[in-house]
Amino acid sequence: MLLQPRGAGADLEYATVVRGSQIQSAEASGWVRAEQSAELGWKTSGIIGEVMVSAGEHVEAGQTLSILERNSLPTGVILAQANLVTAERALNELKTSRLQQARAMKTLEEARQAWEDAQNPVVAQANAQNAVAVAQKELEEAERLLKITASTPSEAAISQANANLLLAESAYNRTLKDIERIQKRLSKPESAYMFFESREFYQRILDSLKQKEIRDRRAYEKSQERYNQLLEPVDPLDLAVAEANVIGSQAAVDDAQRKWERIRDGYTPGDLAVLEAQLKDAEREWERLKAGPDEGDLLAAEARVAAAQAVLNQVEIKAPFSGVITRLDVQPGDQVSPGSRAFRLDDLSHLYVDVMVSEIDINRLQPGQKASLTFDSISARSLETDAGQGGAGSAALAEYTGSVVEISQVGTQVDGAIHYQVVIEIDQPDTLIRPGVSADAIIQVKEYQDVVQIPNRAVRYLGNRRIVFVASLGQPQAVDLKLETITAEFSQLVEGEIEPGDRIVLDPPDWLMAGLKP
């Protein structure tokens, strides 16, 4: 389009009609994200023994990133190793079915022996007397543990816990004062620094102090919790468990005593009937297990192995997928607890821009359409610098390309209007594009080739008529047109007596419209 200067007499602005190509587009903005992202944290407590990666490092799926010191782990996690060994052994034995078969055989033998003993009650009476003695010993042990649980802590233990709390509080307060002091130095203008000072130097000190503040705060909270526990009365739950153990042991004594009293004078017909029924049950169980292990028992054993392994897996953090460590929040020696953040992992092999498109434009979009992308954080100058070209470069934003890969089927209300999420995959992303940066997208909806282009500024509406004014020897003449809007600047000529090269008035004044009818 060629703009003509306003005529000195007519004071009109003209444009020359041309034939060419135009691209219809839809504009939107959004943010960059990686194909996969994960916040990795700890699921148990302990002290970090080793960190195997650094920020910016590429890792493979399954690679170990960090591990806790084993002597700092909770008892439940430490015991999980033994539980895993036991569960795996039980599973292996089930799969071979030898142990289960052997136990069934042993039960059968015991049932047969009990039935034979019933014919000779002297042996059974001796066993019953021994069972009474064993149950009585277990009762005495349960009563001893109950006495320990119900007792209150000593004054020496409380005094030591209080001293530990004061030391932890003092260390925590010193760290807070050090942080405040360094923050004041950071707030000073660099012109006020001595020759050996720098903002980077103080920032590194501050970062280190913030990590120390986390450790000192946790140590203080732990000391306070321990001190409060000693001051509190006996835990009702622990006491209830100890009392329940005593009750259970007493019940075992009573049961053993009843069995002894029942057979002290020999077996009754009812006892013989029970022993005979137990023998038949044992025979049926043996017949069932001769063919191999039960499927339900196998599934239960596999579940116990998986549960123990899941607890052991809490000792370390592994990469769930291949990607780049984009944030590192831990270092060796840190005290962590369940939920503590450790790493952020992003798969940067494919980057996407999530944009929100108005409902007005959404039905014109479809997967595969190309898009041009710009980022406020990336200029053409920074792109040339990253490529190693140097030079002054350009202050304009660098332009990237992408393709629409996904269009949401459900809209979201944003500021009173309905928008749809559209996902654009970035073609050949470089290291300058990072997850989280803002992006502007121009999606190419349709390309018009070899069309006569009419500037929208030249069109006036009169009822259902669309009119432009074509330059002539005298006053510009009104010409009716049929148009199809392409962009905000141009429309395509569908029908009308106008040709490329004609000069038409831009922003026609009202006096040109005088005398025209709708």
Side-chain angles (χ1 to χ4, degrees):
M1 179 182 72
L2 301 177
L3 297 180
Q4 305 296 328
R6 292 180 180 272
D11 196 25
L12 297 175
E13 184 179 1
Y14 290 88
T16 301
V17 176
V18 298
R19 182 185 295 275
S21 300
Q22 282 289 329
I23 296 177
Q24 190 178 54
S25 61
E27 298 183 7
S29 58
W31 291 268
V32 176
R33 65 169 172 86
E35 181 165 13
Q36 278 185 289
S37 297
E39 293 281 354
L40 307 179
W42 295 101
K43 297 181 180 179
T44 188
S45 58
I47 297 174
I48 295 178
E50 188 176 359
V51 178
M52 290 85 158
V53 295
S54 57
E57 182 176 342
H58 185 275
V59 298
E60 298 297 328
Q63 180 177 337
T64 300
L65 309 181
S66 182
I67 191 168
L68 298 177
E69 293 181 358
R70 294 202 172 271
N71 59 4
S72 70
L73 298 172
T75 304
V77 177
I78 296 174
L79 292 178
Q81 181 65 58
N83 294 338
L84 178 61
V85 172
T86 302
E88 288 178 336
R89 183 182 298 118
L91 177 59
N92 290 334
E93 291 171 348
L94 260 181
K95 287 181 177 179
T96 59
S97 75
R98 293 177 181 176
L99 179 61
Q100 200 171 14
Q101 290 173 337
R103 286 176 176 170
M105 182 179 294
K106 182 180 179 182
T107 300
L108 178 58
E109 291 174 351
E110 290 175 347
R112 286 174 177 170
Q113 187 63 50
W115 172 252
E116 293 173 359
D117 290 343
Q119 314 304 317
N120 183 13
V122 175
V123 176
Q125 290 168 347
N127 290 337
Q129 283 182 315
N130 182 64
V132 171
V134 171
Q136 186 63 47
K137 186 176 180 180
E138 292 178 350
L139 174 60
E140 292 171 357
E141 177 65 15
E143 289 175 339
R144 185 183 69 82
L145 294 177
L146 173 59
K147 184 177 179 181
I148 294 174
T149 303
S151 62
T152 56
S154 65
E155 290 295 331
I158 295 176
S159 298
Q160 182 62 52
N162 185 45
N164 293 340
L165 174 60
L166 294 176
L167 288 173
E169 183 180 18
S170 176
Y172 181 48
N173 289 334
R174 284 198 305 271
T175 302
L176 291 178
K177 290 180 180 179
D178 289 343
I179 290 176
E180 183 180 0
R181 177 171 55 83
I182 295 300
Q183 286 176 334
K184 288 182 178 178
R185 294 189 179 182
L186 271 173
S187 64
K188 292 168 51 179
E190 292 195 29
S191 59
Y193 285 164
M194 301 292 289
F195 71 93
F196 57 85
E197 295 179 302
S198 72
R199 193 173 300 280
E200 292 77 10
F201 172 70
Y202 285 127
Q203 186 62 53
R204 287 196 299 271
I205 295 177
L206 181 60
D207 292 341
S208 177
L209 285 173
K210 287 182 177 179
Q211 295 294 327
K212 186 175 184 296
E213 185 271 338
I214 294 174
R215 296 193 297 272
D216 290 348
R217 172 161 44 84
R218 290 172 179 167
Y220 169 65
E221 292 172 350
K222 187 175 181 180
S223 298
Q224 190 174 44
E225 180 181 0
R226 174 59 180 162
Y227 179 64
N228 291 337
Q229 285 177 346
L230 292 177
L231 294 181
E232 292 176 354
V234 177
D235 188 344
L237 180 59
D238 293 340
L239 184 59
V241 171
E243 291 174 344
N245 289 336
V246 170
I247 294 173
S249 298
Q250 182 63 59
V253 170
D254 295 340
D255 183 62
Q257 188 67 37
R258 281 193 299 271
K259 289 181 179 179
W260 157 244
E261 292 174 354
R262 187 173 64 246
I263 66 171
R264 181 172 52 188
D265 299 325
Y267 286 91
T268 67
D271 294 333
L272 293 175
V274 170
L275 291 174
E276 185 179 9
Q278 290 175 344
L279 175 58
K280 291 180 178 179
D281 287 343
E283 290 173 341
R284 282 193 296 269
E285 183 70 4
W286 167 245
E287 290 296 327
R288 184 182 69 85
L289 292 176
K290 284 195 301 185
D294 180 74
E295 185 66 24
D297 293 341
L298 274 175
L299 292 176
E302 290 171 349
R304 284 190 287 272
V305 170
Q309 186 62 60
V311 175
L312 280 180
N313 290 344
Q314 297 176 3
V315 175
E316 59 187 13
I317 294 179
K318 292 186 176 182
F321 52 83
S322 299
V324 176
I325 301 296
T326 52
R327 192 183 68 238
L328 190 151
D329 298 314
V330 293
Q331 58 185 358
D334 284 355
Q335 176 74 44
V336 298
S337 58
S340 298
R341 294 193 313 182
F343 307 93
R344 177 187 168 105
L345 178 65
D346 289 279
D347 179 4
L348 304 181
S349 60
H350 295 274
L351 293 181
Y352 300 86
V353 179
D354 293 334
V355 299
M356 300 301 290
V357 176
S358 168
E359 61 181 330
I360 298 175
D361 296 322
I362 195 64
N363 286 329
R364 297 189 295 153
L365 303 188
Q366 58 185 5
Q369 290 174 333
K370 303 300 292 184
S372 60
L373 302 165
T374 56
F375 307 89
D376 291 341
S377 60
I378 307 175
S379 65
R381 181 180 303 168
S382 61
L383 190 61
E384 292 172 1
T385 302
D386 185 65
Q389 298 178 11
S394 170
L397 295 180
E399 187 171 307
Y400 294 78
T401 60
S403 300
V404 174
V405 294
E406 184 179 337
I407 301 174
S408 174
Q409 298 298 312
V410 180
T412 302
Q413 189 168 7
V414 180
D415 296 331
I418 302 299
H419 290 71
Y420 292 78
Q421 179 172 291
V422 175
V423 181
I424 300 172
E425 183 175 2
I426 303 174
D427 298 335
Q428 299 178 338
D430 53 38
T431 56
L432 294 176
I433 305 176
R434 303 183 180 186
V437 301
S438 60
D440 293 315
I442 300 176
I443 303 171
Q444 299 175 8
V445 176
K446 183 178 180 181
E447 183 175 3
Y448 293 80
Q449 297 182 343
D450 193 30
V451 297
V452 177
Q453 302 173 19
I454 305 298
N456 291 336
R457 287 177 56 194
V459 181
R460 291 294 298 265
Y461 294 82
L462 186 62
N464 294 325
R465 298 173 63 186
R466 295 185 183 184
I467 300 171
V468 297
F469 291 88
V470 181
S472 62
L473 293 178
Q475 180 174 307
Q477 299 297 310
V479 177
D480 286 87
L481 305 177
K482 288 185 178 180
L483 303 172
E484 178 185 346
T485 302
I486 300 177
T487 68
E489 292 81 21
F490 292 97
S491 294
Q492 171 190 358
L493 176 64
V494 177
E495 183 180 334
E497 295 182 1
I498 197 167
E499 298 290 340
D502 289 344
R503 296 172 63 244
I504 56 178
V505 179
L506 296 179
D507 301 319
D510 290 340
W511 60 265
L512 282 176
M513 300 289 293
L516 297 179
K517 296 181 179 180

